[in-house]
Amino acid sequence: MSARQDGFEWIDLETVKPVESAIRLAPPDFALQRQLLPIRMEGNRLVVAIGTPEALGAVDELGVLLQRPAQAVLASPSLIREKIEELFLEKILAGLPGSSEENGYAEVDDTTDLADLQKMAGEAAVVQMVNIIFAQALRDTASDIHIEPYEREVKVRFRVDGMLRDAMDPPKRMHAAIVSRIKILGEMNIAERRLPQDGRIRIVIAGRPIDVRVSIVPTVFGERAVMRILDKSTAMLGLEELGMRPDTLARFRQMIRTPYGIILATGPTGSGKSTTLYAALQEIWSPTINILTIEDPVEYQVPGISQIQVRPHIGLTFASGLRNIVRQDPDVIMVGEIRDYETAEIAIHAALTGHLVFSTLHTNDAPGAVTRLLDMGVEPYLAASSLIGTVAQRLVRRVCPSCGEPDHPGAESLGAIGIAPDSRNGDSPFRRGRGCDRCQQAGFKGRQGLYEMFTIDDQIRRMIVERASASELQDYAVKHHGMRTLFGDGRLSVLEGKTTPEEVLRVCQREVV
């Protein structure tokens, strides 16, 4: 079935099957990187499916590469991606030593020879498979890759916009070879399969430098690998791009311009705390100030800022590193995380002696950061005199701009986040994505932050000295500072059609509304 779109022939890959003779012509790496799917031959001309007219240049490159004319047709980008993965993975698997467990890769156990592991990891099919996994993850804007072995299968899953989704199912017989290949890339010990290992991979995909943080742990069905993708080209956001509302952004900018004190970002792992602090550092950086950081790990290199990697095995901890950073004449210090009393004490003394200190804590809300410091053993008067403010945050998925449409949520889901049911009267402000090629049928594309800004004034300092609870601090801040809670920020985003009630409920702690 074919039609016309934007002057190109449009084909439906649900019904049109690519011809094997055309598939054989295209180099797998080229097809994968450029997202080109050979469809058929018309005489000497190769017909190639592309997802967008912008890919015409790649079709011309393929024609030059094959020394034959190439003609472009349009098709669904998501179906092109699926077909490329399906057809070229089949080609890779066809090149394996055998098609059964007995004739393919041997089962790996503790007696497997190191040379055999290295040989398996170096097989062209395995190298290609690992490359496909990385390329696919990058195209899908995944933050993490999970390789999970089970009794009879291996699953590869990607975390996209904070949610895991199935990506591909490599053959079980390739599992040990894939993990060994990842270990070689990460400079880990491929012979050690009984203990957890960590490593780091630096690769270039489609001209983009990518850092990958690798964690491998043994399970009863083999080694499980999780890889965090650190894409330098998309990581460094400015404050304007974080999704803060104008009033919150103005207060945060005022906070980070304070000459000394402590500013804390709070929230669970993966809520964007480090991204917010990096954006703040870029905002205040100038040639006239000295900024140093100590992190575990250093995920992104920031130009103009000196960054120190924590190495506990040689005694370089947050506390010992911070103690030495203070001797480096810094104006601004960022501590990756305050984990214990010793680090908190040094950070507070640095703030009290004229330094601006940024750090993170794991707490549910912004006022909770104060009570967390006191629980660590910090004296209330020290916390009160050093803190400038805290910001709690969460990340919610945004409704896909391509397929978002008006929605009418139920009274129950609206009531759960504190929106009155009569908000549905008239033109609905609510939106929901129905699913499309651009968002891979998820209905969401990208994420934005929800923020809760807690600033310290004289009355709050007195309350801290008196060891007021986090709820008392929150009540005062809401009443006297107009502090917007995480739920309050989420409600506004729902009313603006940026996200859905279910998303806000998923990431925010429930509160009485």
Side-chain angles (χ1 to χ4, degrees):
M1 176 182 176
S2 65
R4 306 292 296 181
Q5 180 173 314
D6 297 330
F8 292 89
E9 178 187 352
W10 171 269
I11 63 170
D12 181 3
L13 289 177
E14 296 280 11
T15 56
V16 175
K17 182 176 175 61
V19 178
E20 178 60 28
S21 59
I23 290 291
R24 281 199 302 266
L25 289 174
D29 283 343
F30 189 91
L32 184 68
Q33 290 180 2
R34 304 295 201 281
Q35 286 294 284
L36 305 177
L37 179 65
I39 299 296
R40 62 180 181 266
M41 297 296 301
E42 292 182 352
N44 190 44
R45 178 181 285 110
L46 176 64
V47 178
V48 183
I50 55 177
T52 171
E54 283 74 23
L56 272 176
V59 177
D60 294 337
E61 289 180 44
L62 181 61
V64 172
L65 186 65
L66 300 179
Q67 296 185 340
R68 67 173 68 226
Q71 175 188 337
V73 296
L74 284 179
S76 161
S78 63
L79 288 178
I80 288 176
R81 183 173 58 248
E82 288 177 15
K83 291 290 184 182
I84 288 175
E85 181 182 311
E86 172 192 332
L87 294 169
F88 286 112
L89 276 179
E90 284 183 2
K91 288 186 70 177
I92 291 170
L93 298 179
L96 293 176
S99 58
S100 68
E101 293 290 347
E102 292 76 16
N103 297 325
Y105 290 104
E107 184 175 350
V108 173
D109 57 31
D110 291 340
T111 64
T112 304
D113 186 76
L114 177 59
D116 291 338
L117 281 173
Q118 290 173 326
K119 181 180 178 182
M120 289 164 58
E123 291 278 358
V126 176
V127 172
Q128 187 79 297
M129 177 70 80
V130 172
N131 290 345
I132 286 175
I133 290 172
F134 281 132
Q136 180 87 26
L138 198 61
R139 277 198 311 276
D140 291 352
T141 63
S143 61
D144 299 86
I145 302 170
H146 291 231
I147 299 177
E148 306 168 354
Y150 298 101
E151 186 174 6
R152 293 185 175 85
E153 63 179 349
V154 177
K155 283 196 170 293
V156 176
R157 298 199 291 168
F158 297 157
R159 189 176 293 280
V160 180
D161 292 337
M163 304 293 283
L164 280 172
R165 61 178 65 163
D166 289 342
M168 57 185 78
D169 301 309
K172 174 71 172 175
R173 65 184 182 276
M174 291 187 73
H175 169 250
I178 290 172
V179 173
S180 294
R181 173 66 182 167
I182 291 168
K183 286 182 179 179
I184 289 171
L185 292 173
E187 299 180 352
M188 291 178 274
N189 181 1
I190 67 170
E192 178 56 75
R193 295 181 296 280
R194 299 166 300 172
L195 295 173
Q197 294 190 68
D198 295 322
R200 192 158 189 155
I201 300 172
R202 289 177 173 84
I203 54 177
V204 176
I205 299 177
R208 293 161 63 183
I210 307 295
D211 273 11
V212 182
R213 214 168 67 221
V214 185
S215 170
I216 294 177
V217 298
T219 72
V220 292
F221 296 119
E223 291 179 293
R224 188 184 198 277
V226 174
M227 293 172 281
R228 168 66 54 88
I229 298 173
L230 308 173
D231 185 355
K232 297 178 182 179
S233 65
T234 59
M236 303 307 296
L237 301 178
L239 285 181
E240 300 278 0
E241 302 167 271
L242 294 179
M244 288 185 182
R245 298 186 178 281
D247 58 335
T248 303
L249 180 59
R251 291 172 67 190
F252 189 61
R253 279 191 161 134
Q254 182 180 6
M255 195 186 293
I256 66 176
R257 295 290 178 184
T258 308
Y260 58 87
I262 293 182
I263 298 171
L264 296 174
T266 77
T269 301
S271 59
K273 302 185 297 295
S274 296
T275 300
T276 297
L277 295 188
Y278 280 137
L281 292 180
Q282 291 181 92
E283 175 90 3
I284 64 176
W285 180 88
S286 82
T288 61
I289 65 172
N290 180 24
I291 302 177
L292 286 93
T293 77
I294 180 162
E295 306 169 58
D296 183 24
V298 174
E299 294 187 350
Y300 303 106
Q301 284 76 48
V302 186
I305 296 176
S306 299
Q307 297 169 272
I308 299 170
Q309 168 74 54
V310 167
R311 301 184 191 277
H313 59 284
I314 59 171
L316 180 52
T317 63
F318 277 119
S320 64
L322 183 54
R323 191 176 287 111
N324 286 280
I325 280 179
V326 175
R327 301 183 191 129
Q328 289 282 313
D329 186 31
D331 298 291
V332 179
I333 300 168
M334 185 183 104
V335 185
E337 183 183 346
I338 294 179
R339 297 177 178 173
D340 52 39
Y341 169 74
E342 187 180 9
T343 308
E345 181 186 38
I346 301 168
I348 285 172
H349 281 101
L352 293 175
T353 53
H355 305 91
L356 181 59
V357 180
F358 293 91
S359 191
T360 69
L361 274 178
H362 291 284
T363 63
N364 289 326
D365 54 23
V370 176
T371 53
R372 179 78 181 97
L373 287 177
L374 302 188
D375 289 343
M376 285 182 181
V378 173
E379 291 294 336
Y381 73 92
L382 290 175
S385 55
S386 60
L387 274 173
I388 301 170
T390 65
V391 54
Q393 65 183 86
R394 301 290 189 276
L395 293 175
V396 291
R397 293 181 294 171
R398 288 196 298 254
V399 171
C400 176
S402 299
C403 65
E405 56 189 16
D407 185 39
H408 297 277
E412 184 178 350
S413 62
L414 290 176
I417 62 170
I419 297 178
D422 58 11
S423 302
R424 296 176 297 170
N425 296 339
D427 294 334
S428 174
F430 310 109
R431 295 181 66 79
R432 185 179 302 272
R434 66 179 180 277
C436 66
D437 290 336
R438 287 184 177 270
C439 63
Q440 300 172 43
Q441 309 306 319
F444 298 95
K445 185 69 174 175
R447 290 189 290 177
Q448 73 167 57
L450 302 182
Y451 295 91
E452 176 178 297
M453 197 73 60
F454 178 68
T455 52
I456 310 294
D457 65 8
D458 289 340
Q459 177 57 32
I460 289 178
R461 288 191 178 92
R462 282 192 286 271
M463 294 173 71
I464 293 172
V465 171
E466 295 167 1
R467 292 185 178 270
S469 67
S471 59
E472 290 173 324
L473 294 173
Q474 176 174 300
D475 290 344
Y476 176 86
V478 169
K479 182 177 180 181
H480 293 88
H481 293 173
M483 183 181 81
R484 187 186 303 114
T485 65
L486 289 167
F487 249 101
D489 213 23
R491 278 194 289 272
L492 292 179
S493 291
V494 171
L495 287 167
E496 292 167 350
K498 294 178 179 177
T499 190
T500 64
E502 293 79 10
E503 268 298 287
V504 175
L505 287 169
R506 181 178 69 84
V507 303
C508 290
Q509 183 186 24
R510 288 183 177 273
E511 62 183 37
V512 178
V513 291

